[in-house]
Amino acid sequence: MSGKGAKSILAMAGMAVALLGSHAALAQKGPRHPTALIPFEQERAQDRGDRATLLLNEDASRIPGHRIMELPIVNGKMGEHAKLDDGVEIFFPFGRILTATTELHKYKSLSLGSESREFSPDPRYKRVNQFDRVLGSVCASEGVSPDSPLKIELRMGENNRLSLVRMIPPEYKNPEDSDAVSYRVTSAMEIRHLARQEPEAEKLYRNCLRGKSDQKVSSKD
């Protein structure tokens, strides 16, 4: 990264900390809410070599500035979304982290652009094999559409944390591995917040309450 780029990120992180801090009082006025780790936070902390993990429903002002990669600022006001390290996107209206989304792709590009033919295996894809341990068990699943092999599933984990796992087309295609799929994982503590990001979650949640469960969609690669 160039010196100019590094200074830009540092400036943005400093602004983010200040703006997030301004929302702290708002977040603390409300009642206490159940919390749970954002999925794969422990793995991210291990990769970074620190202990800076975040919780769903946590006060957004506690996000370390060095973890903020993108934060929309419009007319000097902070938006409701931010992208953190490792590609995690969070949604934090009212000063609390309500949802967190991450995508797991089997391959990553070695150059700019999704059409690049230069790619290598993405080691984070191994987290797909940890869905049962990290996200909890599947309580409902269904196909995305009748003519698509892709599926979605709803999982319940720590402190009843909800995670919708969506199979999506791969971002980078390896001709020698045409069956590879990617996964988008969106997590929240409440179904109303999860459904705002993933509308299908509400139907799956009702199926969970009725005790219905179909075959898991998780890859075993």
Side-chain angles (χ1 to χ4, degrees):
M1 178 182 296
S2 67
K4 183 177 180 181
K7 289 180 180 179
S8 176
I9 289 179
L10 288 173
M12 181 179 68
M15 181 183 295
V17 171
L19 289 169
L20 288 169
S22 70
H23 287 252
L26 178 62
Q28 292 171 357
K29 286 182 180 179
R32 287 185 172 272
H33 300 272
T35 61
L37 273 175
I38 291 175
F40 304 111
E41 276 293 276
Q42 292 177 333
E43 288 79 1
R44 296 184 188 100
Q46 184 176 4
D47 289 344
R48 291 191 309 269
D50 62 32
R51 298 181 181 180
T53 57
L54 296 172
L55 304 171
L56 290 166
N57 272 342
E58 185 174 27
D59 184 347
S61 67
R62 297 190 62 185
I63 302 172
H66 71 272
R67 292 196 60 183
I68 300 172
M69 300 293 103
E70 295 180 18
L71 180 67
I73 306 294
V74 181
N75 296 326
K77 295 183 179 181
M78 182 178 61
E80 299 177 334
H81 294 262
K83 180 175 285 188
L84 308 183
D85 57 308
D86 202 18
V88 186
E89 293 191 18
I90 58 171
F91 174 65
F92 51 92
F94 319 118
R96 288 189 294 120
I97 302 174
L98 296 188
T99 65
T101 300
T102 188
E103 292 187 1
L104 297 171
H105 300 281
K106 194 166 186 179
Y107 301 97
K108 60 181 179 179
S109 175
L110 297 179
S111 59
L112 297 177
S114 59
E115 299 301 321
S116 170
R117 295 185 178 181
E118 296 182 290
F119 49 82
S120 65
D122 191 333
R124 293 178 297 182
Y125 193 77
K126 294 180 180 179
R127 294 173 186 171
V128 171
N129 296 326
Q130 301 172 358
F131 280 176
D132 286 340
R133 178 182 65 82
V134 176
L135 304 180
S137 60
V138 177
C139 63
S141 68
E142 66 177 18
V144 173
S145 66
D147 58 347
S148 172
L150 303 181
K151 296 182 180 181
I152 55 177
E153 65 185 20
L154 187 65
R155 290 173 172 264
M156 285 189 176
E158 176 189 3
N159 290 351
N160 292 320
R161 179 192 60 212
L162 300 168
S163 295
L164 188 136
V165 179
R166 178 182 293 274
M167 294 173 66
I168 57 177
E171 185 174 17
Y172 304 106
K173 295 182 179 180
N174 181 348
E176 298 178 356
D177 189 10
S178 58
D179 294 332
V181 297
S182 297
Y183 297 85
R184 180 186 298 126
V185 180
T186 302
S187 302
M189 296 305 296
E190 298 181 46
I191 187 59
R192 60 190 176 117
H193 299 316
L194 182 59
R196 180 170 181 173
Q197 302 295 326
E198 291 280 7
E200 294 94 334
E202 195 163 3
K203 176 183 177 182
L204 291 174
Y205 185 66
R206 290 197 298 268
N207 289 342
C208 286
L209 297 181
R210 289 196 293 264
K212 293 184 178 180
S213 179
D214 299 322
Q215 185 178 1
K216 293 187 297 182
V217 303
S218 306
S219 169
K220 295 300 180 182
D221 291 342

